[in-house]
Amino acid sequence: MRKLSSNPWAWVPTTYIFEGLPNAIVNTVSLIVFKNMGMPNDKLTLYTSLLSFPWIFKIILSPVVDTVSRKRVWTTVMQVLMALFTCVLGVMLPRCPLSMIMILFTVTAFASAIHDIAADGFYMLGLDEHRQSLFVGVRNTFFRLALLCGQGLLAIIAGAMQKRGADAVASWSWTLVGCSAVMAMVALWDIFFMPKPASDQSSADSDLKKIFSSLGSLFLSFVKKKEFAVAVVFLLLYRLPEAFSIKILIPFLKDARDVGGLGMDDVQVGLANGTIGVIALLLGGILGGLAGGRWGLKKCLIPMALSLALPCSVYLYLSVAQPLGVLPVYVCIAIDQFGYGFGFTAYTLYMLYLCRGQYQTSHYAFCTVLMTFSMLLPGLVAGKIQMAIGYTGFFWMVMACCAVTLIVSLIIKVDPQFGKK
């Protein structure tokens, strides 16, 4: 049995690669794949939004992962399953009806959500408190790098195949099969190199009824918070402009110019949305964290709200101007994602502020469910609205939603000292 002191560099990076890569496959690659298959935008945004539901169920799945078997087992088994499902998805993509493809994406999403629970729990068991703090930056970095590969590199590879004559669906079929092979090697690595801490023990004899009853009590304590109603409004509506536009961005980039799109290929989409956009998002998030720590949430709230909302205007500009070169598109997406990264910091800080006191871990988990709903619900109808009013009309509507972000930011109350050093 390996000791707890096993080198974290041997397993922390690979474990968090597996948190990011399947997430990107389910939430971003699915958009590109379905668009290449000719799916209309109303169905595209509806179906891909429904794929977010497994992450909402994390709050229910967590007690099962906590009590049945060891977290190391859950983590490695889910990694093997995600590699397998991604391979099957790639093989079946040109051969199966849409319903089967949706099922494969959904199963992968559930495996990814369960892996998130187990991996985060194992991280706390596999490292002492000092190393947990020391490696938090490492885990976040490799999670983001995995997103970068999933949202950018995979699209670039598939697009390069298309330039050499492969059709769009076949190129993604081969790309996903190749990705699954890499995932399988990473999973095999973790099976051998993840430590086996003595504290990671099965608790199968625990009473799940009592656990779920306790979960209900924790939820009631969250609902009874005096600022609960205002908090729900804020958590659901603060990101409304981004929630509407996020599912429409890839269709907008890929659709032909005669229907209002920008006519970009998969390589260009991968560079714009998955590479340049993700890097700008990371830089905005870093700056937002520094600002929040320097001046506190209350002083930063309105500037961050404006930073999140107003850069959405770049899509309105792109839909009206339809610039011929890709450089203006890259610049616009970088501006939007940088602003979003900076503005999202206020959302995270408010969740931490709301969850202070007893049961803060559980209350934060409830907040993340609301966060998922805030993006899921607008996504369900975004495509239908866009098809009714066109891209330019849709992005005018997104700009109108910026007022909602500002209003909900003005109605919440925050301690002026919260977030300051």
Side-chain angles (χ1 to χ4, degrees):
M1 181 178 289
R2 292 178 178 82
K3 296 180 180 178
L4 184 62
S5 59
S6 296
N7 188 349
W9 282 106
W11 60 274
V12 172
T14 50
T15 300
Y16 282 88
I17 284 172
F18 252 107
E19 279 214 9
L21 189 54
N23 186 298
I25 289 172
V26 171
N27 291 305
T28 301
V29 169
S30 63
L31 274 166
I32 304 175
V33 168
F34 289 148
K35 189 65 182 176
N36 285 341
M37 294 173 73
M39 185 181 290
N41 288 354
D42 54 348
K43 292 183 178 179
L44 179 71
T45 59
L46 173 63
Y47 292 160
T48 56
S49 293
L50 290 174
L51 292 174
S52 300
F53 267 105
W55 281 275
I56 291 174
F57 289 123
K58 281 172 66 173
I59 197 71
I60 299 173
L61 294 169
S62 293
V64 178
V65 175
D66 279 338
T67 56
V68 179
S69 192
R70 291 170 290 148
K71 291 179 178 63
R72 186 185 193 277
V73 173
W74 279 107
T75 302
T76 53
V77 168
M78 289 304 113
Q79 289 182 359
V80 171
L81 288 178
M82 284 187 283
L84 176 62
F85 294 145
T86 302
C87 182
V88 173
L89 180 61
V91 171
M92 295 299 179
L93 194 60
R95 301 170 176 86
C96 284
L98 175 62
S99 57
M100 181 57 67
I101 300 302
M102 273 295 297
I103 289 172
L104 290 171
F105 271 120
T106 302
V107 173
T108 305
F110 269 107
S112 181
I114 294 171
H115 178 271
D116 290 356
I117 299 165
D120 290 342
F122 184 82
Y123 179 84
M124 292 184 281
L125 296 173
L127 300 174
D128 56 38
E129 288 187 4
H130 171 68
R131 286 187 170 185
Q132 286 179 34
S133 300
L134 190 63
F135 275 82
V136 69
V138 175
R139 57 179 270 184
N140 291 342
T141 297
F142 278 89
F143 174 78
R144 296 298 181 185
L145 285 174
L147 287 181
L148 192 67
C149 291
Q151 296 179 1
L153 182 60
L154 294 184
I156 292 170
I157 292 171
M161 290 184 187
Q162 293 164 28
K163 288 181 181 294
R164 295 187 177 186
D167 69 71
V169 177
S171 68
W172 273 106
S173 174
W174 283 107
T175 299
L176 288 173
V177 170
C179 180
S180 72
V182 174
M183 292 167 71
M185 288 188 288
V186 175
L188 187 63
W189 175 277
D190 277 349
I191 288 172
F192 282 101
F193 287 97
M194 287 181 76
K196 296 179 179 178
S199 56
D200 185 18
Q201 295 295 327
S202 172
S203 302
D205 57 340
S206 297
D207 189 341
L208 279 175
K209 277 189 175 181
K210 290 183 179 179
I211 292 171
F212 282 112
S213 176
S214 175
L215 187 63
S217 299
L218 290 171
F219 180 72
L220 285 176
S221 69
F222 180 62
V223 171
K224 289 178 180 177
K225 283 180 173 288
K226 62 180 181 180
E227 61 268 51
F228 174 75
V230 172
V232 169
V233 171
F234 178 83
L235 293 174
L236 289 179
L237 297 180
Y238 177 76
R239 301 166 70 194
L240 192 60
E242 194 75 17
F244 271 118
S245 60
I246 192 168
K247 290 293 183 182
I248 291 297
L249 178 56
I250 287 176
F252 172 56
L253 296 178
K254 288 184 63 63
D255 264 339
R257 290 177 174 272
D258 57 1
V259 295
L262 298 180
M264 298 174 71
D265 59 36
D266 282 358
V267 171
Q268 294 168 332
V269 170
L271 285 170
N273 188 54
T275 305
I276 295 170
V278 172
I279 293 171
L281 179 72
L282 291 174
L283 293 175
I286 291 169
L287 183 61
L290 294 174
R294 175 69 176 84
W295 291 293
L297 173 59
K298 186 174 179 62
K299 188 170 287 188
C300 292
L301 182 57
I302 299 304
M304 286 181 173
L306 293 173
S307 175
L308 180 136
L310 294 182
C312 292
S313 60
V314 298
Y315 300 128
L316 177 59
Y317 159 73
L318 290 174
S319 69
V320 173
Q322 289 188 296
L324 294 177
V326 295
L327 183 59
V329 181
Y330 293 161
V331 171
C332 285
I333 289 178
I335 291 170
D336 173 63
Q337 291 300 294
F338 180 85
Y340 180 71
F342 183 78
F344 183 71
T345 305
Y347 194 87
T348 305
L349 287 174
Y350 182 72
M351 289 197 297
L352 293 171
Y353 175 76
L354 179 67
C355 298
R356 293 173 305 161
Q358 196 176 20
Y359 311 128
Q360 58 184 352
T361 302
S362 297
H363 289 176
Y364 192 86
F366 296 137
C367 284
T368 62
V369 172
L370 289 171
M371 178 174 68
T372 304
F373 267 117
S374 75
M375 301 300 285
L376 186 154
L377 298 176
L380 294 173
V381 297
K384 194 173 186 65
I385 295 172
Q386 183 277 317
M387 291 185 71
I389 62 178
Y391 281 114
T392 301
F394 179 83
F395 289 122
W396 272 116
M397 183 205 72
V398 169
M399 290 307 301
C401 292
C402 294
V404 177
T405 298
L406 185 60
I407 290 169
V408 298
S409 300
L410 291 170
I411 65 174
I412 62 170
K413 296 180 180 179
V414 180
D415 183 342
Q417 298 304 311
F418 180 76
K420 289 184 179 181
K421 287 184 179 180

